[in-house]
Amino acid sequence: MLEVKNVSKSYRSNTVLTDVSFHLEQGECLGLIGESGSGKSTIAKLILALDRSDSGQIIVNNVDFSQLKGRELRKARRHVQVVFQDPSASLNPKLPVWKSVIEPLENYPEASPSFLKEVRNEKRKMAEILFEKAGLQSGLLDRYPHQLSGGQRQRVAIARGISLQPNLLIFDEPTSNLDVSIQAQILNLLKDLKSEINMSYLFISHDIATVQYISERIAVLKEGRLVDLFKTKDLFSADRHPYTKELIDAALE
Amino acid sequence: MSAVMTLTKEIATEKENEKDALFRTSPVLEIKNLSISLYEDKGGEEHRLVKKLNLSIRPGEMLGLAGESGSGKSLTASAILGLLPKSLSVSEGQILIRGQDLLNLSEKEMGHLRGKEIAYIFQNYQDSFTPFIKIGRQLVEALRSHDKISKPEAKKQALLWLERVKLPAEQIFSSYPHQLSGGQLQRASLAAALMFEPVLIIADEPTTALDVLTGEKVLDLLAGLQKELNCAVLLVSHDLKHVLKRTDSMAVMYGGQIVEKGATKSLRENPRHPYTKLLLKARPILRYTALEKFAAIPGEPGLIAKEGCTFALRCPLSFEQCYMVPAMQPAGRFQWTACQAVDREKVDTNA
Ligand SMILES: Nc1ncnc2c1ncn2[C@@H]1O[C@H](COP(=O)(O)OP(=O)(O)O)[C@@H](O)[C@H]1O
Ligand code: SF4
Ligand SMILES: [Mg+2]
């Protein structure tokens, strides 16, 4: 459902991505690991069409995003949503969180997520269902972002991320700022949601153990190049790239 | 020299040696019954953020302080350094360095100890150096402020230490802080911390802001140099991985209290406190076959019971008595666990 083909990107003289290619099947989770500055977030930005690649293609559901403009691009974007490390990035501090959660649905009235069919156009009910899916109590609907804990805010961002039932949900270090106990809760939630709503995930993280838990395949990015791509069950295979092995070594206790 | 003088001198050296031997075996740092409080206003309500904390570290020992955010790890570290925020104060207890209570020292005396006898590195390595002044000059000035040595001698020492932390010494010496990468800066701050050969190093989340591989290298260095200097290290980290991998002993904090402590090996293999157990299970670690599901710890780190066991509001095993003060219970020679259920031998190893 997603195909990234020979994508390169530079900012001024700084080459960030060099000839990156990978694909994602419907319903699959691909983990993308690499250290800071390796280009992980740039890949996310390009797939979200927040920026354009210098060369190569990004194809979502057989549509080449890099060819789209204006209204067409806006329409296509709805199928790809994102959850960032810092949930505040997607939550309006001046709105009660339930309004932020259904905002994408207001922007794309044509979207009709199957799990919201029964309550179409009843905004608050839609928010309630999304809250429930993200494991949030409905008592928190009217809170403002600053009145929630970090874990609760991240759940709100997840509720918003799934609201359009996107084909692809991108996570950029979604649990890196969270405490271990909250991290475990969120990862369990993401795993459940994926099978429940049938989305594909691109899960970006610097933590190989987290990625092992959530992904079916893993891609390794180093200095803008994809150096390794493999099935998670082959993580410990002798064929791994030396850099992947280094990351594995560092993660073992 | 008269015979009497020689004799007095001999006695003095003997005493010194005795003292030395004592230092080698007795703790470098001993914290006794330490509480840290926030007072709303003068005479106002007291909030105890750290409660009756006891721990000690011996020369050559690395002790890890673990626990999720807000558990009081950094406050404990700041108290040892005499760097608590102005609004907070130590409300009871002692912090002994080689038997001397730091809480009885004047600001000036403490200032002299800090940076020399007790060194520190923090998560914000950017703050270890003043911007716009070359690293070399800062190291030389620091050395000369504590010891009476000439500039060339100080430069020689600074270069030596930059080498010991595996940096290109000459180049770093004449660089400004902003010209260094995060990993290089953290190494340089390690050099700055170690060059006085301190007896104790406080490292508060030293790798949290670094990449995985860079962070591992910084910890490798710290561990190596600690061996050479035989100093004590307090490693504060919310990341159990570092604590388990690096330390000899560890203490797990929750809600301002130590809930379990002991030899790291012993806690890892046989955790007894429900919180330690759950933390060990909830964290993502590489496994040969990935887990299906993490053991979830209910609730959030901010849920702290005011009376009794601080973990009671989240504990799957809590019962009435837990809301009374839990005593530190010996659970074998190398482990102490503050849990009523352990006391009653109620803790199921699979909890
Ligand atoms: N300057 C301060 N004023 C008031 N409360 C503080 C201050 N610093 C820390 N605290 C509180 O003390 C508790 C312990 O904090 P801290 O030692 O920073 O935890 P940790 O390092 O384990 O994350 C937290 O509840 C925190 O909110
Ligand atoms: S004392 Fe009670 S509440 Fe606290 S950890 Fe033990 S069983 Fe749980
Ligand atoms: Mg801290």
Side-chain angles (χ1 to χ4, degrees), chain A residues 12-70:
Chain A
R12 294 213 193 103
S13 60
N14 189 8
T15 307
V16 181
L17 296 174
T18 311
D19 200 23
V20 172
S21 300
F22 61 86
H23 77 282
L24 211 84
E25 306 278 350
Q26 184 63 44
E28 184 192 27
C29 176
L30 176 72
L32 182 61
I33 57 173
E35 304 251 279
S36 61
S38 60
K40 303 187 297 292
S41 296
T42 305
I43 291 186
K45 243 190 323 193
L46 297 178
I47 299 173
L48 288 160
L50 296 173
D51 204 342
R52 278 179 191 270
S53 61
D54 300 339
S55 58
Q57 294 172 297
I58 289 170
I59 299 166
V60 181
N61 292 329
N62 303 317
V63 181
D64 185 353
F65 264 40
S66 33
Q67 298 302 315
L68 296 181
K69 282 203 182 85

Side-chain angles (χ1 to χ4, degrees), chain B residues 73-74 123 204-205 236:
Chain B
K73 307 183 295 297
S74 293
Q123 176 174 353
D204 190 352
E205 308 272 2
V236 175

